[in-house]
Amino acid sequence: MTWSGVDDVPERLVRVRAPGKVNLSLRVGPVQDDGYHPLITVFQAVSVHEEVVARPADEIVVTASGPQAELVPTDSSNLAVRAARLVAERAGVDDGVHLELVKGVPVAGGMAGGSADAAAALVACDALWGTGLSRDDLHELAAALGSDVPFALLGHTAVGQGRGHLLTPALARGEFHWAFAVQDRGLSTAAVYAAYDDLHGDTAPHPTERDDVPLMQALLAGDAVALGKALHNDLQTAALELDPALAEPLAVAQDAGALGVVVSGSGPTVAALARSRQHATALAAAFTAAGVADRVLTATGPVAGARVVQHGD
């Protein structure tokens, strides 16, 4: 069933929640002829969420609320708008939708907030319009939107290859606790990759799955200490080149006893792995006391991917 407007039906809404991510490992090869870098990355979805509320409308529009909402584009460049259009095209739907993005993941922070919006919008539009797309259909559309969008659909822990969009679920036992130092200033992913290329040129090694054997063993064992030692990000040096002040939260986390600390993705968010929920709170307090973050967050992982949490009036 589809709905063509709001005049002749009661207002309905679909609320979808999708997680941000941390890259436990990010290994980057030299840029290819197509402009992309071959990646092997290990994603973990964490309990810092985006919510997308979808309501019937005459056209596809997006609004944003929450922290840093003023930084979110609301035109056709928004990934959630593009997601809605892809669902409409695939399903042959002419309806509009109002997508309200409720921000929880830092904007341009290396935690894939925009990708989480896109994944949530795919699920929300499918549910609102009753298009009945399969999970495979949604993953295909997600891959067309961006490298991190398929993982925001899948959630939990996974190995990403190719541009990061070819996913294999990873076995992870137990729960891991994180503290994040968030900066209001963003870092452009494209700029960080360009800086990486400037640093390495064609000399960057081609990543292999063997590089992350200790990390995968730590996840399988639920061993947070071993995981902390195995955290890795090839883009971290490039992010520090562009934003040298990121060295400060990295040092604060280490001094406060983090099991491991790493720039998340392309930055500038710094992720610190804690021994426990209480230790994550202490790490967040250390970030705040040192004045090295505009905001701090604590979270656990892994968590589920995009899912409907409300469907009705």
Side-chain angles (χ1 to χ4, degrees):
M1 182 180 295
T2 61
W3 303 94
S4 58
V6 296
D7 294 335
D8 54 349
V9 296
E11 174 161 278
R12 300 185 313 131
L13 65 83
V14 174
R15 184 184 302 270
V16 176
R17 184 173 296 151
K21 58 82 178 168
V22 60
N23 295 84
L24 306 178
S25 176
L26 177 55
R27 299 185 185 273
V28 181
V31 65
Q32 302 173 133
D33 291 341
D34 62 3
Y36 288 102
H37 296 74
L39 305 178
I40 294 183
T41 186
V42 183
F43 295 109
Q44 185 165 97
V46 294
S47 59
V48 179
H49 291 97
E50 299 284 280
E51 286 194 352
V52 171
V53 182
R55 294 180 174 88
D58 293 330
E59 56 187 356
I60 296 173
V61 295
V62 64
T63 56
S65 61
Q68 299 179 297
E70 70 280 0
L71 302 178
V72 177
T74 56
D75 58 13
S76 60
S77 68
N78 187 286
L79 275 179
V81 172
R82 291 168 55 194
R85 288 177 174 168
L86 283 182
V87 173
E89 290 169 9
R90 174 64 63 92
V93 171
D94 294 327
D95 300 356
V97 62
H98 173 202
L99 299 170
E100 179 190 353
L101 314 183
V102 184
K103 302 297 295 179
V105 180
V107 176
M111 294 183 70
S115 296
D117 289 336
L122 290 172
V123 173
C125 290
D126 175 58
L128 185 73
W129 293 333
T131 53
L133 296 178
S134 70
R135 203 68 178 174
D136 286 344
D137 288 332
L138 292 176
H139 274 274
E140 181 183 338
L141 298 181
L145 288 164
S147 300
D148 291 339
V149 183
F151 178 70
L153 271 181
L154 179 67
H156 303 289
T157 306
V159 178
Q161 299 190 58
R163 300 192 307 275
H165 66 298
L166 303 174
L167 296 175
T168 304
L171 293 174
R173 299 181 190 276
E175 187 175 61
F176 298 94
H177 301 277
W178 297 92
F180 297 100
V182 179
Q183 312 300 336
D184 286 341
R185 62 188 187 275
L187 266 180
S188 159
T189 299
V192 174
Y193 274 98
Y196 177 81
D197 291 337
D198 289 342
L199 287 168
H200 297 283
D202 296 330
T203 66
H206 286 270
T208 72
E209 291 184 75
R210 294 189 301 274
D211 297 328
D212 286 319
V213 168
L215 186 145
M216 301 305 290
Q217 291 173 336
L219 286 170
L220 183 58
D223 186 339
V225 173
L227 180 62
K229 293 176 180 176
L231 297 176
H232 179 84
N233 184 358
D234 278 347
L235 295 181
Q236 182 161 309
T237 301
L240 283 163
E241 284 278 327
L242 294 176
D243 191 347
L246 291 182
E248 297 172 358
L250 289 168
V252 167
Q254 290 167 345
D255 291 345
L259 300 178
V261 57
V262 68
V263 172
S264 180
S266 57
T269 300
V270 167
L273 182 62
R275 296 187 300 270
S276 63
R277 191 181 302 271
Q278 293 76 14
H279 187 217
T281 301
L283 289 172
F287 286 141
T288 300
V292 296
D294 293 312
R295 285 186 296 133
V296 297
L297 302 169
T298 59
T300 58
V303 299
R307 65 197 189 281
V308 175
V309 294
Q310 182 182 359
H311 193 172
D313 297 341

